Amino acid sequence: MFDFEYQLKILPDKPGVYIMKNSLGEVIYVGKAKILKNRVRQYFQSSKNHSEKVRAMVKNIAEFEYIITDNEMEALILEGNLIKKYSPRYNILLKDDKFYPFIKITTNEDFPRVFVTRNYAKDGNMYFGPYTNGTAVYETINLINKIFPLRTCKRVIIEGGELTTPCLYYHIHQCKAPCAAYISKAEYGEMIKSIIDLLHGKNSSIVKDLKEKMEASAENLEFEVAAKYRDKLVAVEAIAEKQKIFTSRSEDEDFIDFYSDEKDTCIQVFFVREGKVNGREHFTFENTADENKEELIQDFISSFYGGTALIPRNIYVPEVADLTLMEQYLTTKKGSRVFIKIPQKGEKKELLNMVRSNAKITLEQFKTKILQDKEINKISLTELAAVLQLEELPLRIEAYDISNIQGMDSVGTMVVFEEGKAKNSDYRRFKIKSVQGANDYDSMREILKRRFLHGLEEIKSIQERNLELSKGKFSYFPDLIMMDGGKGQVNVAVEVLRELNIEIPVCGMVKDDRHRTRGLIFNGVELAIAPNSNVMHMITRIQDEVHRFSITYHRSLRDKRTLHSILEDIPSIGEKRRRNLLMKFGSVENIRKASMEELLATPSIDKKAAENIKRYFKDKK
């Protein structure tokens, strides 16, 4: 047993990170402290001043450990790394892989390209963003391509260099063919300058020029040409409307504020780029209404800017626990000075108030949607119980699927729905170990045995420790199992459960000839279900989700295997470089399409390595 009294007594008077674990040895919380002794002891003193979340966490702490650091800054950085590593359930967790899209203009090329990217780098090119609305970004790019006939190819084109034959885009008037020297670098540069002005919101000269050309064409009775200028004019106005001006200064700034009701908190972020609000993001945290808001904002800033691609120069907040520390932390990450400011009046304060108002509206909408979804899900589960003649509602449903291509990279997946809602934290993935080739039935038998045998072992261990069954990863058994398939898959599941002496109803989700969910197989009979009923919508959602999860996992394994096997053939590309390429691009096709600039922006990839990669794919074309 962990001796809390002794361990609390020997805590050092130094900065560091503490790690809380439950009785199963799982990390449930990671925190930093200026003085470890003072901070950790607070958790085990009187709980009357603790928030609801902290009280729940403390009940589950079975042991703790700590790591000493030289200063609080090191503790903050280590805390962020450990949170990413363990994803503790009581920490603020934001998606670390969420990189917002940017519009990139390759200004370091003679004939620049304009495209969407999620990889921000200090590579001498020009970036606009980040944008939270991906659809709007692609619409903007499409509108720019309507107005300006830019090149979209990834060729390295140098003025005065080797000429090539123009491609289809030239013949359909969507490119000026710089590859064939049909446009000079200076003329092309004028188009790029106009695009930059347009993205900065300076569109008056472009509008004036297009109007004059449209009117001149109309006067000359060239109505088709006039119509083209009219369409371009509409596109320019559409781009301008996507950005609303809020500030008079052209700086990169983020505004962060929150709103709490009696239980939960919503934190809202407004992104201001070049003096315009070009996007916003919100995050809802449950059971945090009684938490210290200064610490909540600090934890949010640490987590949010630890995972995004761009840190602005100025960040405005209503309050923060340790402003100086957070400024130093973000300055270190950005590589240039970052300021965190708490405005008291004026334009910045007004915008911060607007962010808070939006956070309130978002939280209210979030609560309303939850109530609506709960009601719909309850109706769906009631209908499902009636269809299957179950005595109780199937509050926890587990669905299973197998994915492979001709037996290669065969995988199995399990998704979980609780009270009709997907519970992503309980999803599980299985690599097929004992089955060779494409044998879906034996593969399904393997993953079901592994899942429930693991569950039985966990139940035994948890009962010996006198814990709740829901504390384990596999110990909480479902009220209903749904197989992605027909009678064969259902029979396999029934056999495995019978062999393990477990009683759980099993049904199969079957599809029609168009690969759409048709109904359920239960007790050997296909049950007719109304196509537009609530229960059919829920069944379809479950089947689509388990299929998506299975395909995604299979594809990731296949891509990794393919990527590594191909990259091993490229000279000077060792294990470290292969891993970095895999992390950045994700697939062979993306690496093949990458420009020299994008390759050079990859960690550990120098000019020689990038040239070897480009040469390899050119030779293997």
Side-chain angles (χ1 to χ4, degrees):
M1 294 293 291
F2 188 80
D3 191 339
F4 278 94
E5 187 175 343
Y6 174 73
Q7 291 297 331
L8 289 171
K9 188 183 295 184
I10 65 170
L11 279 166
D13 295 319
K14 293 185 176 181
V17 172
Y18 53 94
I19 305 164
M20 304 297 193
K21 296 183 178 181
N22 63 13
S23 57
L24 297 174
E26 298 169 333
V27 175
I28 59 174
Y29 187 76
V30 175
K32 63 160 180 51
K34 187 180 292 186
I35 300 176
L36 282 166
K37 177 178 287 187
N38 296 346
R39 182 61 170 164
V40 177
R41 281 180 171 177
Q42 289 177 359
Y43 290 102
F44 303 97
Q45 294 169 353
S46 173
S47 63
K48 65 180 181 180
N49 294 323
H50 289 167
S51 67
E52 183 181 341
K53 188 179 81 171
V54 171
R55 284 194 292 270
M57 180 190 75
V58 172
K59 287 180 182 177
N60 287 285
I61 298 175
E63 59 180 300
F64 64 82
E65 58 186 63
Y66 52 88
I67 302 171
I68 296 171
T69 59
D70 288 335
N71 52 59
E72 196 176 1
M73 173 63 72
E74 287 184 6
L76 181 61
I77 295 170
L78 178 58
E79 177 195 38
N81 292 336
L82 291 177
I83 289 172
K84 291 177 187 177
K85 179 178 179 180
Y86 294 114
S87 298
R89 63 178 299 186
Y90 290 105
N91 282 99
I92 284 183
L93 299 176
L94 305 177
K95 287 187 177 181
D96 188 44
D97 58 348
K98 185 170 186 177
F99 290 94
Y100 299 108
F102 293 80
I103 293 176
K104 179 178 180 178
I105 303 179
T106 57
T107 49
N108 61 0
E109 295 181 318
D110 282 2
F111 298 93
R113 293 167 293 134
V114 181
F115 56 90
V116 177
T117 181
R118 291 180 184 269
N119 298 314
Y120 175 82
K122 296 179 180 179
D123 53 9
N125 293 303
M126 186 170 283
Y127 292 83
F128 292 86
Y131 301 93
T132 54
N133 188 337
T135 302
V137 177
Y138 285 99
E139 285 177 0
T140 300
I141 289 293
N142 289 334
L143 292 170
I144 287 172
N145 289 332
K146 272 187 178 182
I147 303 165
F148 304 99
L150 299 173
R151 74 183 185 99
T152 57
C153 65
K154 292 187 177 180
R155 296 177 185 175
V156 177
I157 303 175
I158 303 172
E159 188 170 44
E162 183 181 349
L163 302 182
T164 59
T165 304
C167 66
L168 175 64
Y169 286 100
Y170 168 74
H171 296 289
I172 60 175
H173 309 294
Q174 291 187 12
C175 177
K176 288 287 188 179
C179 58
Y182 290 174
I183 184 173
S184 69
K185 179 180 176 181
E187 290 174 304
Y188 195 96
E190 286 300 314
M191 287 198 296
I192 295 298
K193 183 179 180 299
S194 296
I195 292 169
I196 293 170
D197 287 344
L198 187 58
L199 292 173
H200 278 148
K202 302 172 184 176
N203 63 347
S204 56
S205 61
I206 301 173
V207 169
K208 181 183 177 183
D209 182 55
L210 289 173
K211 278 185 176 179
E212 288 175 354
K213 289 179 178 178
M214 179 181 69
E215 291 168 357
S217 298
E219 286 178 7
N220 294 329
L221 305 181
E222 296 172 340
F223 298 116
E224 289 186 7
V225 177
K228 288 181 180 179
Y229 285 124
R230 179 204 60 203
D231 293 342
K232 289 184 177 184
L233 193 59
V234 170
V236 168
E237 291 171 348
I239 292 174
E241 285 180 4
K242 290 181 184 297
Q243 299 176 332
K244 185 177 180 182
I245 295 176
F246 272 105
T247 65
S248 55
R249 297 171 63 187
S250 298
E251 288 188 312
D252 289 348
E253 301 172 326
D254 285 357
F255 290 75
I256 303 172
D257 210 331
F258 67 91
Y259 178 81
S260 296
D261 62 10
E262 67 282 354
K263 185 179 179 184
D264 306 321
T265 300
C266 176
I267 295 180
Q268 188 105 6
V269 186
F270 270 37
F271 303 105
V272 178
R273 301 294 179 263
E274 298 292 338
K276 303 170 186 64
V277 175
N278 68 359
R280 65 175 183 172
E281 187 67 278
H282 67 268
F283 303 86
T284 303
F285 304 102
E286 298 181 38
N287 301 317
T288 54
D290 52 354
E291 286 195 20
N292 183 306
K293 293 306 183 293
E294 289 186 349
E295 293 184 359
L296 184 66
I297 291 291
Q298 178 172 305
D299 289 345
F300 173 80
I301 289 173
S302 176
S303 183
F304 182 70
Y305 292 107
T308 58
L310 179 68
I311 302 173
R313 177 178 171 81
N314 298 310
I315 299 172
Y316 295 88
V317 297
E319 52 192 310
V320 66
D322 195 328
L323 189 149
T324 303
L325 176 66
M326 295 311 298
E327 281 188 338
Q328 292 174 353
Y329 171 66
L330 295 179
T331 296
T332 301
K333 285 191 68 65
K334 182 178 173 64
S336 60
R337 188 66 195 274
V338 176
F339 299 92
I340 299 177
K341 302 176 181 179
I342 303 175
Q344 303 299 321
K345 59 182 180 179
E347 183 184 59
K348 307 299 184 185
K349 179 63 175 176
E350 289 175 9
L351 184 49
L352 209 56
N353 289 340
M354 189 180 72
V355 176
R356 179 180 174 82
S357 298
N358 276 270
K360 179 181 180 182
I361 293 169
T362 301
L363 185 61
E364 290 170 349
Q365 290 173 339
F366 172 74
K367 293 294 184 71
T368 302
K369 189 175 186 305
I370 284 180
L371 292 173
Q372 291 173 343
D373 289 347
K374 277 187 176 181
E375 188 61 31
I376 292 172
N377 289 338
K378 186 176 180 181
I379 293 170
S380 302
L381 291 172
T382 302
E383 291 178 4
L384 181 60
V387 168
L388 301 178
Q389 297 182 354
L390 303 177
E391 294 181 2
E392 297 181 353
L393 295 185
L395 297 180
R396 181 182 172 94
I397 298 172
E398 290 181 3
Y400 294 86
D401 189 21
I402 297 292
S403 181
N404 63 68
I405 295 179
Q406 297 180 340
M408 293 290 290
D409 298 316
S410 190
V411 300
T413 49
M414 171 186 105
V415 304
V416 178
F417 279 68
E418 283 196 354
E419 297 185 17
K421 182 181 177 183
K423 190 178 182 183
N424 305 75
S425 60
D426 283 11
Y427 285 16
R428 297 291 178 260
R429 308 186 299 187
F430 305 85
K431 280 186 182 179
I432 304 303
K433 298 178 179 179
S434 64
V435 180
Q436 299 296 323
N439 189 327
D440 286 0
Y441 291 162
D442 284 349
S443 297
M444 186 63 74
R445 185 175 285 107
E446 177 190 321
I447 70 167
L448 288 169
K449 276 191 175 182
R450 284 165 59 186
R451 182 263 179 269
F452 286 104
L453 281 173
H454 197 153
L456 291 171
E457 292 170 3
E458 258 191 13
I459 290 172
K460 182 179 178 182
S461 174
I462 286 172
Q463 287 175 339
E464 289 173 353
R465 300 183 187 188
N466 198 28
L467 300 172
E468 296 178 24
L469 290 181
S470 59
K471 299 301 180 186
K473 290 184 177 180
F474 290 92
S475 56
Y476 196 14
F477 283 5
D479 303 310
L480 175 67
I481 293 174
M482 303 183 81
M483 311 297 292
D484 185 31
K487 291 182 180 180
Q489 285 84 352
V490 172
N491 290 338
V492 167
V494 170
E495 289 171 13
V496 171
L497 294 174
R498 188 183 298 125
E499 183 182 327
L500 299 176
N501 198 28
I502 299 172
E503 292 187 14
I504 300 173
V506 182
C507 64
M509 299 175 287
V510 293
K511 294 188 175 182
D512 59 20
D513 295 337
R514 296 183 179 180
H515 214 63
R516 296 178 303 191
T517 305
R518 184 177 71 204
L520 296 177
I521 293 281
F522 188 61
N523 291 335
V525 178
E526 182 169 337
L527 305 174
I529 302 174
N532 293 318
S533 62
N534 287 314
V535 67
M536 178 57 85
H537 290 315
M538 186 180 72
I539 294 167
T540 302
R541 194 164 70 248
I542 293 172
Q543 187 170 33
D544 289 345
E545 178 64 358
V546 71
H547 186 64
R548 179 203 64 80
F549 191 54
S550 183
I551 289 293
T552 302
Y553 181 42
H554 171 262
R555 186 178 293 134
S556 69
L557 292 182
R558 182 194 65 201
D559 285 350
K560 285 180 181 179
R561 175 175 54 79
T562 306
L563 183 62
H564 277 274
S565 63
I566 288 177
L567 295 185
E568 285 169 2
D569 296 335
I570 304 177
S572 75
I573 303 299
E575 177 60 33
K576 182 179 179 181
R577 284 173 169 169
R578 288 198 296 270
R579 184 169 62 248
N580 289 339
L581 287 166
L582 172 62
M583 290 176 65
K584 179 165 183 177
F585 297 102
S587 72
V588 174
E589 183 63 15
N590 288 343
I591 293 176
R592 185 185 70 78
K593 291 179 178 178
S595 65
M596 279 292 290
E597 292 79 13
E598 290 170 327
L599 290 172
L600 288 171
T602 306
S604 78
I605 299 296
D606 56 20
K607 186 177 180 181
K608 181 181 177 182
E611 288 173 346
N612 285 342
I613 293 169
K614 297 297 289 183
R615 189 179 301 113
Y616 175 85
F617 283 110
K618 183 179 179 182
D619 293 342
K620 295 288 183 180
K621 189 172 181 180

